[in-house]
Amino acid sequence: MTTSATKQPVKGPSKRSGLGISRAEARRETIAAYLFLLPFLIVFVGFVLIPMVMCLWTSFFDSTMAREDIFVGFGNYIKMFQDDIFWKALMNTALIVVVAVPTVTAFSLWVASAIYKMKAASCSFFRCIFYLPVVTGTVAVTVVWKWMFNNYYGIINYVAKGVGVIDNNVNWLGNPKTAIWCIILILFTTSIGQPIVLYVSALGNVDASLTEAAQVDGATKLQTFWKIMWPQITPTTLYILVITTINSFQCFALIQLLTSGGPNHATDTIMYYIYYQAFKLYQYGYGNAMGVILAIIIALLSALQFKVAGKGND
């Protein structure tokens, strides 16, 4: 007995991908994607990548406006590490980072933990209050603080004398012992707005069923926070740490508007000293060498923070 089977025609290789998109359509979508990215790529290459390469290249030259550049190799870097003012600026920058980063992070988390469960109107009010210095602008905020710290008619001296903390007016920004702490205080008040908003959002996205289950099982508030909430807000914390660290290293406007690095270099930071060497003394090569070192330091600290956060999530 013979059986006949219907033969199906053999089809050639499909011209469509697994998602049902042909190669021509995929090519058109790829081209369209690159066209949308093109403006950003042009800006990135023109204003970020090329200046970075030029900064590195110029750091090996004695570059000024008075004459042609002279190749000095690592001369600028050797000069930098023999410069007492550079080390003073580096120590001031390190102090700002060590004090500002943990205090901003901890205070922002504490405030966010206190307000994220409030009613929408109350929570929005507090977020607006803390975020106001961010949107106001650094210059405007700095001018207000400069008036508050004025040693003749500033409100800080007025209140301090009123409560008996001081007897005579203090020149807060003109005293080497207090000037750097005034800078740190202002940086703190202008840096907590964004972390608070981010933490409120992160805490609001924590799975409520997990925290409720932990509380039913008898966990304390501290145990609930550390075991349930903290692991879920770790990515937000890492972002805040990295951004706050970078902003602390790049502290410039406060220094420029308040003290110009004084008194006696007591408030010099790396960013301000780079500006001073490059744009006041016209030592572009030396300033670029310090910029390279600053970029390396920030990159290493950021990598360390990512590594520590990765181990904490394991």
Side-chain angles (χ1 to χ4, degrees), residues 245-306:
T245 300
I246 294 174
N247 291 339
S248 299
F249 267 104
Q250 294 180 341
C251 181
F252 168 76
L254 295 178
I255 310 297
Q256 169 69 4
L257 296 171
L258 289 175
T259 62
S260 296
N264 194 24
H265 304 287
T267 57
D268 264 337
T269 61
I270 294 295
M271 279 297 297
Y272 182 80
Y273 197 48
I274 292 173
Y275 160 79
Y276 179 80
Q277 288 290 336
F279 297 103
K280 286 193 172 183
L281 301 183
Y282 304 110
Q283 298 291 329
Y284 300 118
Y286 188 40
N288 285 338
M290 287 189 287
V292 171
I293 296 300
L294 176 61
I296 293 174
I297 293 174
I298 293 176
L300 291 176
L301 284 177
S302 299
L304 178 63
Q305 289 172 333
F306 276 103

Side-chain angles (χ1 to χ4, degrees), residues 56-62 70-78 285 289:
L56 179 61
W57 174 259
T58 312
S59 68
F60 297 107
F61 290 82
D62 181 6
I70 301 174
F71 181 76
V72 294
F74 289 95
N76 286 323
Y77 295 92
I78 296 173

